[in-house]
Amino acid sequence: MDTRNTSVRPHAQSRNDGKNHSSRSTRRRYGGVVHDNARHTTRFTVVGNHLAQHEDLSLVAIGLAVHIQSLPTGAQVDIDTLAERFPEGRTRIANALRELEAHGYLRRTRVRTEGGRMVTRTVSCNQPGRTTTEDEPSPRPQDRRAPDKPPRRHRALPSVPQPVYPAPDLLQTALGVLSGLRRTDQRLLISATDAEHLVPGVAAWLERDLTPEAVHHALTTNLPQDPLHRPAALLAHRLTAQLPPLPPFHRAARHPLQNCDTCDRAYRAPEPGSCRDCGAD
């Protein structure tokens, strides 16, 4: 017996027999990127997709890493040189360099030259985390072990103020301030890499006519009672958020900080010697 309801309207049939994905396939064929590649035989740099398609790096950091990897050994890659080359400015370039350092694409260390000057040595890594060289044999499949935990990615530290006149003595005094923080609070023990990042921020405070004791007090008072998981990030935030204003009649070029030969206190002078109090004796 036929039990169909004759009052129900018949279903309308699709115009393309159920093939509703034609527009989607059209977008896939014509909407995506198309590569028109030519083989390079001279003046080219090999860049890994782990950098070109990095999930955490900013576009400025990726482009800057590609530029640095294309440079010859000995080329200058400091902030001033890169800021003259590109329109992004010192702040964005400095942030991009810190991103690359945090993810292992750059290693920056402070070294002392034979003349006694402190300079920054930069090492560019085109494949961070590589533990074997091309000449070493690859491990056999049975020798490969899966890591227990995925590698932990460290977030880049917040940017810090930059001094107008980064004299070596000024930076050395700033490093002394950071090294002494742990004597007041053990939680403020930081690594050498974090100290190198924070030194310019402390130097910017010292340029504003603050004594090292005053900067130490500002960084160690009213700390939270909870454990400090990233003390360097807290210090970077304080150096930026609590930066005091420039003193009246501040000039861009000032005498660098010197250590008094008698009392070892910091003072500004064109050449080493004794401070005003000790010189008056």
Side-chain angles (χ1 to χ4, degrees), residues 163-175:
V164 178
Y165 186 73
D169 293 337
L170 177 67
L171 299 178
Q172 190 66 29
T173 303
L175 180 60

Side-chain angles (χ1 to χ4, degrees), residues 179-200:
S179 301
L181 297 179
R182 65 177 182 271
R183 300 188 183 96
T184 301
D185 194 323
Q186 289 292 335
R187 297 178 299 170
L188 296 179
L189 178 63
I190 58 178
S191 65
T193 303
D194 292 341
E196 181 183 356
H197 174 79
L198 297 173
V199 158

Side-chain angles (χ1 to χ4, degrees), residues 56-131:
D56 297 328
L57 288 176
S58 65
L59 189 60
V60 176
I62 294 175
L64 190 58
V66 173
H67 172 71
I68 293 176
Q69 291 185 16
S70 69
L71 295 176
T73 301
Q76 297 297 319
V77 292
D78 57 280
I79 296 177
D80 291 335
T81 302
L82 295 173
E84 293 178 359
R85 171 64 175 79
F86 298 103
E88 277 71 15
R90 292 174 51 87
T91 301
R92 296 182 66 185
I93 288 177
N95 291 338
L97 290 175
R98 283 190 288 271
E99 287 185 60
L100 297 176
E101 186 175 8
H103 289 86
Y105 289 96
L106 284 184
R107 293 197 304 269
R108 295 189 293 177
T109 56
R110 297 284 291 177
V111 296
R112 188 180 298 275
T113 63
E114 297 179 356
R117 294 178 61 252
M118 296 295 296
V119 297
T120 300
R121 175 176 294 171
T122 303
V123 178
S124 173
C125 306
N126 69 341
Q127 190 173 348
R130 183 181 60 180
T131 57

